[in-house]
Amino acid sequence: MKSPVKILLINRHPPYGHAAARDSIDVALTGATLNQDVQLLFMGDGVYQLLPQHNASLLEQKNIGDLLSMLNMYGITQVYAQKKALEERSLSGEDLTIATQTLSDSDIQTLIAQQDCTLNF
Amino acid sequence: MRFSLVVQAPPASRQGSHSAYRFAQTLLTDGHELYRVFFYGDGIHNASRLYCPPKGEPNLPKLWQTLAQTYQLDLVVCIAAAMRRGLVDSNEAKRHHLDADNLLSGFQVSGLGQLIDATAHSDRVVSFD
C-alpha cells in the first residue's frame, strides 16, 4: 500500500435528511484508522454539518455534530469549508464547530489537485 | 492504468449506476485494469438477486455479474450499507435469524477497509453517485 494516501471527502449534503453525512464520516474514520491522510471539504449545503448544537435525537438519528467533533482524535485535522457556501447562507467561519479553514473556489481547485483520491458525499 | 470505481447510485432510480457499468466495460475493453468496484450507500442495490426490471431496461445486477465473470472482477458491497437497506448474504441472514437472503453471486460483502485499500492501490478512483 502506498501510504499515506491523501483522500479528500467532499461533503455537499446537510447533516440530516440524507445518509451522505453519516456515510462520509464512516469512510473518514476507516481511512484514519488505516493511517491514511483524510481531509474533509464541506461545500454547498454541506456547510450546515459544521453548525453547533444539533438536536438529532428528535429524528432518532446519530448526532453528526458530535461525530465530526470526534474526528480530530483520529488525526483528521484538515477540515475545509467553501467560503462562497458560507456567505450564501449568511454564515462565517466563526459560526462553525470544528476548526475549519475557509477556502475560495480557486483554493478548492488547488486542494483537489493535491489529492490522490476524492470521494463525494 | 489501474482504476477502482465507487458506486453509490442504485439501479433504476439514477443514471449513475448504469454510467458506472458502461465506464467499467469501456475501461476493460480499452485494456485498463479494474482493481475493485465498491458499492456503498444506495449503490448496494446493484447487488440484489431479486432485481426485476421491465423488458427493455438494463438488468444492472446481472450485467455486473457477467462482467465480473468475464474479467475476474472484485465486486465488493459494504456490509453495513447493505444490511441497513435489506440486502443480505446467507451468513448475515443466519446470524440475524432472517428468513431469506438476496445477495447476487459474484458480489461479496465486506467493510470500508476495502474501499480505503482500493484508494491506496489504484491510479484513479472514479465515483458514480
Side-chain angles (χ1 to χ4, degrees):
Chain A
M1 244 204 207
K2 82 176 159 194
S3 199
V5 184
K6 290 170 76 72
I7 305 173
L8 179 68
L9 306 185
I10 303 179
N11 299 285
R12 294 174 220 258
H13 286 87
Y16 307 102
H18 195 288
R22 188 201 58 223
D23 287 347
S24 172
I25 288 170
D26 287 344
V27 174
L29 289 171
T30 307
T33 305
L34 294 171
N35 299 313
Q36 305 308 331
D37 180 6
V38 177
Q39 299 148 81
L40 306 179
L41 170 64
F42 295 86
M43 297 180 70
D45 282 345
V47 301
Y48 287 127
Q49 294 187 38
L50 299 168
L51 292 179
Q53 297 180 333
H54 295 207
N55 203 342
S57 60
L58 293 173
L59 293 171
E60 298 176 68
Q61 293 292 319
K62 292 202 170 99
N63 190 315
I64 296 294
D66 288 349
L67 291 172
L68 287 176
S69 41
M70 244 179 38
L71 293 181
N72 77 339
M73 291 197 300
Y74 287 78
I76 298 173
T77 54
Q78 289 163 280
V79 179
Y80 305 96
Q82 181 189 25
K83 190 152 179 271
K84 186 175 78 174
L86 291 170
E87 285 166 1
E88 283 168 354
R89 292 160 182 76
S90 304
L91 297 170
S92 80
E94 276 136 46
D95 298 312
L96 309 179
T97 46
I98 56 180
T100 305
Q101 282 181 65
T102 53
L103 297 182
S104 66
D105 285 359
S106 71
D107 290 337
I108 287 173
Q109 283 183 314
T110 306
L111 177 69
I112 291 173
Q114 291 164 350
Q115 305 302 314
D116 294 311
C117 170
T118 60
L119 296 172
N120 298 297
F121 296 97
Chain B
M1 192 172 267
R2 185 189 285 164
F3 288 83
S4 286
L5 307 186
V6 181
V7 182
Q8 296 194 77
S13 314
R14 296 208 291 280
Q15 182 63 33
S17 53
H18 198 198
S19 300
Y21 171 76
R22 291 165 67 176
F23 186 87
Q25 199 182 28
T26 304
L27 74 89
L28 288 163
T29 54
D30 277 8
H32 297 285
E33 192 187 331
L34 183 50
Y35 180 78
R36 178 166 297 135
V37 183
F38 191 86
F39 297 89
Y40 191 40
D42 290 338
I44 59 88
H45 291 294
N46 286 280
S48 173
R49 200 175 63 238
L50 301 179
Y51 187 73
C52 270
K55 212 168 171 185
E57 287 181 27
N59 188 326
L60 277 164
K62 289 277 159 68
L63 288 173
W64 280 114
Q65 183 188 51
T66 305
L67 195 71
Q69 277 161 4
T70 308
Y71 290 96
Q72 275 96 62
L73 299 180
D74 188 22
L75 305 183
V76 178
V77 174
C78 175
I79 189 169
M83 293 302 293
R84 55 163 53 100
R85 290 170 176 79
L87 185 82
V88 183
D89 76 339
S90 54
N91 288 334
E92 291 304 302
K94 283 196 198 81
R95 231 159 55 86
H96 293 276
H97 307 112
L98 300 172
D99 63 7
D101 62 73
N102 57 356
L103 184 74
L104 183 61
S105 69
F107 293 81
Q108 289 174 71
V109 288
S110 189
L112 285 172
Q114 295 289 82
L115 170 57
I116 302 299
D117 175 84
T119 66
H121 287 101
S122 308
D123 300 309
R124 295 285 184 276
V125 178
V126 186
S127 313
F128 294 85
D129 304 316

